[in-house]
Amino acid sequence: MGETYATVTIKNPADRSRTWRGEFLVDTGAHETFVPRCRLEAIGIEAEGSELYELADGSTVELDVGAVVVEALGRFGGLTVVFGADHAEPLLGVIALETLGAEVDLRGECLRLLPAKRAVTPRRVRRRGRGG
């Protein structure tokens, strides 16, 4: 299996004319979306705080986060992104996929839209019996 990439546009929510478009590695093992700091700062995104993240090797690191609008495949949504290193490859995580209503097509090695965004996670419904 190869790697899946997607063209994604990151927009400044306060001024949607300020954008950056790039090729993102789709990483279904990552929850968050990582964007190089220099790209975020170039469109006026400022860190609104920081969060502690556990890396694949088990170590933890505190990283800056900010709010953006993400757009891909004709859909968009609000998203918290992590400020990555300037030279780091942009990563699109599963929260962004859920926000966009997209999934990875493993055969085609691309993203595809779901017929509808998921409003809830499917689960078994328990029915109450009499006296319950």
Side-chain angles (χ1 to χ4, degrees), residues 18-55:
R18 297 185 73 182
T19 66
W20 175 69
R21 185 177 178 160
E23 291 297 309
F24 282 63
L25 174 62
V26 180
D27 186 350
T28 58
H31 290 193
E32 304 291 350
T33 293
F34 291 75
V35 180
R37 176 181 293 277
C38 61
R39 302 298 188 178
L40 292 171
E41 290 176 345
I43 63 170
I45 303 299
E46 297 178 4
E48 296 186 31
S50 62
E51 297 287 338
L52 194 60
Y53 290 95
E54 182 178 347
L55 303 178

Side-chain angles (χ1 to χ4, degrees), residues 59-86:
S59 64
T60 56
V61 61
E62 190 169 345
L63 299 170
D64 289 339
V65 295
V68 302
V69 172
V70 62
E71 183 178 347
L73 303 172
R75 288 191 182 160
F76 68 94
L79 188 67
T80 298
V81 294
V82 179
F83 284 66
D86 285 345

